[in-house]
């Protein structure tokens, strides 16, 4: 097997298998090992003085990081990719690579909350002003642009609430203003939303989620198109926020099955969403693939699939009754993060921190991550949970 950049003439399924692999370079073994290293030794003084060689120092990359970076660039259609220690670090690096003191930043009101926290604390301290916008603003974003607006930061669908944003329209508006469009693409991944083809300049992925796929690693990936790649690479090299070798190794392993897991989680997620839509306790299901969801049309136009994460709004019920449901679940565990093989459920409420929009769902909200269990077992777990909730509501 020859070394693969992954591109070749292969179709997407094949590219996932071959991308970033070169067995001949590792004595025939199928997988790239986890290179651990700081020092890289140079054969001569002249080579050292000129930093001549494929690798120069551990923070600048290893064969392991290069394998995942090149594979991800192929899949995402990017000019280049860098790997950082977490998804949040990826959001931070993307912003830092494009902003300076005095700049203005537009961020979706439905953004992942720790990203909002970074904008409101560190970025503010560094003299960057953030304005939050309604995730469904579309072309109206142009009215929020100031002469100093340098970045539009989007995430689609929105964290927890799943508003589907019109990315091509945001891209057009940002570019007409000379600003960059940064997108947190963690939910769809490049398999279900090829970010750079759709006008995104810098795309962020929490590899912690579907790429890792097993809830046992932390990783962030930041990819850029040709225009933004030099400044992203410069920010990465100057800050050296580099990912650990074991996590990169595990992510490469996860990559080979990511498409299969996503296909299964898409199917199971839609089936669970349809089941929940029919439960009398459920007021609304927030899942972009359901025709009843308001972002469905844009999702259908721009996305190639849906992952297994969505939310539901319950009819008004006491918090104690919701706790009775969640506390007794056997398959759905309560915990943050998602994208692994196991199902998860968490209650949420965005009311306290949204600033551009009012979040009034009209009942308690739950976010579900559908894992790889049999959906009939998952439905039975929730059926029993709803029974506990109804009994607790009646007793109160
Ligand atoms: C989880 C998540 C992140 C952060 O990833 P970590 O690796 O947990 O830091 C960023 N964006 C989105 C949308 C996420 O869901």
């Amino acid at each position: 097997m020859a070394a693969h950049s992954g591109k070749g003439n292969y179709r997407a399924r094949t590219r996932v298998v071959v991308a970033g692999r070169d067995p001949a370079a590792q004595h025939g073994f199928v997988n790239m090992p986890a290179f651990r290293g700081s020092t890289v030794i140079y054969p001569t003084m002249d080579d050292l003085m000129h930093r001549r060689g494929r690798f120069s120092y551990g923070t600048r990359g290893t064969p392991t990081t290069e394998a995942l970076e090149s594979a991800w660039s192929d899949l995402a259609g990017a000019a280049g990719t860098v790997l950082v220690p977490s998804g949040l670090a990826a959001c931070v690096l993307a912003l830092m690579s494009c902003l300076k003191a005095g700049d203005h930043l537009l961020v979706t009101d439905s953004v992942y909350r720790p990203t909002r926290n970074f904008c409101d604390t560190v970025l503010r301290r560094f003299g960057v002003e953030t304005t939050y916008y309604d995730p469904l603003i579309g072309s109206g974003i142009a009215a929020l642009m100031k002469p100093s607006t340098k970045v539009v930061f989007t995430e689609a669908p929105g964290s927890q609430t799943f508003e589907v944003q019109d990315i091509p329209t945001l891209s057009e508006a940002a570019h007409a203003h000379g600003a960059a469009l940064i997108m947190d693409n963690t939910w769809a991944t490049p398999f279900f939303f090829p970010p750079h083809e759709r006008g995104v300049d810098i795309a962020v992925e929490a590899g912690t989620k579907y790429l890792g796929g097993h809830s046992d690693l932390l990783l962030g990936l930041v990819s850029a198109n040709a225009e933004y790649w030099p400044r992203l690479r410069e920010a990465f090299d100057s800050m050296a926020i580099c990912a650990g070798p074991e996590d990169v190794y595990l992510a490469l392993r996860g990559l080979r099955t990511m498409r299969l897991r996503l296909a299964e989680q898409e199917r199971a997620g839609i089936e669970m969403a349809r089941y929940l839509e029919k439960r009398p306790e459920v007021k609304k299901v927030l899942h972009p693939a359901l025709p009843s969801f308001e972002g469905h049309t844009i999702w259908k136009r721009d996305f190639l699939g849906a992952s297994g994460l969505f939310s539901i709004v319950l009819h008004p019920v006491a918090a104690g009754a919701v706790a009775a449901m969640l506390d007794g679940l056997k398959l759905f565990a309560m915990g943050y993060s998602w994208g692994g093989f196991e199902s998860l459920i968490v209650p949420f409420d965005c009311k306290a921190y949204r600033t551009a929009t009012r979040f009034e769902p009209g009942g308690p909200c739950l976010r579900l991550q559908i894992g790889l269990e049999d959906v009939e077992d998952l439905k039975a777990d929730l059926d029993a949970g709803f029974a506990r909730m109804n009994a607790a509501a009646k007793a109160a």
Side-chain angles (χ1 to χ4, degrees):
M1 182 184 178
H4 280 291
S5 75
K7 279 198 187 85
N9 292 317
Y10 295 120
R11 293 168 179 82
R13 277 168 207 270
T14 308
R15 284 181 10 221
V16 178
V17 174
V18 301
R21 285 180 54 218
D22 183 9
Q26 62 252 349
H27 311 284
F29 284 97
V30 170
N31 288 299
M32 170 65 74
F35 275 86
R36 311 186 64 91
S38 49
T39 303
V40 175
I41 290 165
Y42 298 85
T44 68
M45 186 174 111
D46 193 56
D47 286 326
L48 182 139
M49 300 294 282
H50 293 94
R51 298 274 172 97
R52 210 176 281 128
R54 193 158 147 228
F55 300 97
S56 60
Y57 188 64
T59 55
R60 295 288 180 111
T62 68
T64 314
T65 59
E66 203 179 83
L68 182 55
E69 286 167 359
S70 72
W72 196 259
S73 292
D74 285 340
L75 296 171
T81 299
V82 293
L83 309 178
V84 296
S86 71
L88 181 56
C91 298
V92 165
L93 182 69
L95 288 165
M96 297 287 270
S97 67
C98 293
L99 292 164
K100 62 177 189 317
D103 284 348
H104 175 240
L105 161 69
L106 287 166
V107 177
T108 174
D109 209 24
S110 57
V111 75
Y112 176 63
R113 195 176 179 187
T115 303
R116 174 187 285 263
N117 182 57
F118 173 71
C119 297
D120 293 344
T121 56
V122 178
L123 275 189
R124 175 179 292 166
R125 186 153 49 75
F126 278 75
V128 174
E129 183 204 357
T130 302
T131 301
Y132 294 94
Y133 67 85
D134 179 343
L136 302 178
I137 198 166
S139 58
I141 192 114
L144 299 180
M145 299 270 185
K146 301 183 183 192
S148 57
T149 306
K150 293 292 158 53
V151 170
V152 176
F153 189 103
T154 178
E155 185 182 326
S159 262
Q160 301 184 311
T161 43
F162 296 90
E163 296 91 341
V164 184
Q165 299 196 34
D166 187 339
I167 303 297
T169 295
L170 289 180
S171 169
E172 208 172 291
H175 293 160
H177 198 80
L181 181 66
I182 302 178
M183 177 182 183
D184 186 332
N185 194 32
T186 300
W187 182 85
T189 84
F191 289 114
F192 290 157
F193 189 87
H196 305 296
E197 245 174 60
R198 302 273 195 273
V200 173
D201 297 300
I202 298 184
V204 164
E205 181 82 21
T208 307
K209 311 287 168 56
Y210 285 114
L211 175 57
H214 294 73
S215 307
D216 57 0
L217 67 86
L218 290 162
L219 188 73
L221 303 95
V222 195
S223 61
N225 59 16
E227 185 183 350
Y228 282 86
W229 170 240
R231 73 190 85 179
L232 172 62
R233 183 74 217 193
E234 181 192 67
F236 176 81
D237 285 341
S238 54
M239 290 191 274
I241 315 174
C242 50
E246 299 295 339
D247 285 348
V248 176
Y249 169 83
L250 287 171
L252 268 169
R253 171 197 263 248
L255 178 70
R256 311 302 174 195
T257 57
M258 185 177 168
R259 169 180 279 277
L260 285 173
R261 288 183 281 104
L262 270 172
E264 173 62 15
Q265 283 166 298
E266 171 181 46
R267 187 196 63 74
I270 291 172
E271 190 172 337
M272 292 302 291
R274 292 211 175 107
Y275 147 82
L276 284 159
E277 221 178 9
K278 293 200 194 91
R279 285 286 326 188
E281 300 85 353
V282 176
K283 183 178 169 168
K284 203 171 173 193
V285 179
L286 314 178
H287 190 309
L290 293 186
S292 61
F293 189 60
E294 73 171 316
H296 179 70
T297 312
I298 290 179
W299 172 79
K300 214 167 162 182
R301 185 192 69 190
D302 294 345
F303 288 70
L304 307 170
S307 64
L309 186 83
F310 63 94
S311 293
I312 58 174
V313 181
L314 299 173
H315 286 295
V317 63
V322 178
M325 173 184 184
L326 299 194
D327 290 350
L329 292 172
K330 297 208 162 55
L331 291 175
F332 281 91
M334 277 181 280
Y336 289 103
S337 205
W338 44 276
F341 55 83
E342 81 291 12
S343 290
L344 297 170
I345 191 164
V346 285
F348 70 90
D349 184 1
C350 315
K351 198 185 290 145
Y353 56 88
R354 287 226 175 171
T355 51
T357 47
R358 286 166 74 91
F359 179 70
E360 278 167 354
C365 298
L366 300 171
R367 189 188 72 181
L368 293 90
Q369 122 88 11
I370 306 304
L372 297 171
E373 304 91 342
D374 192 303
V375 286
E376 295 310 320
D377 290 330
L378 293 178
K379 288 179 197 170
D381 199 27
L382 293 182
D383 281 343
F386 282 122
R388 282 191 304 278
M389 185 176 92
N390 293 332
K394 204 175 264 174

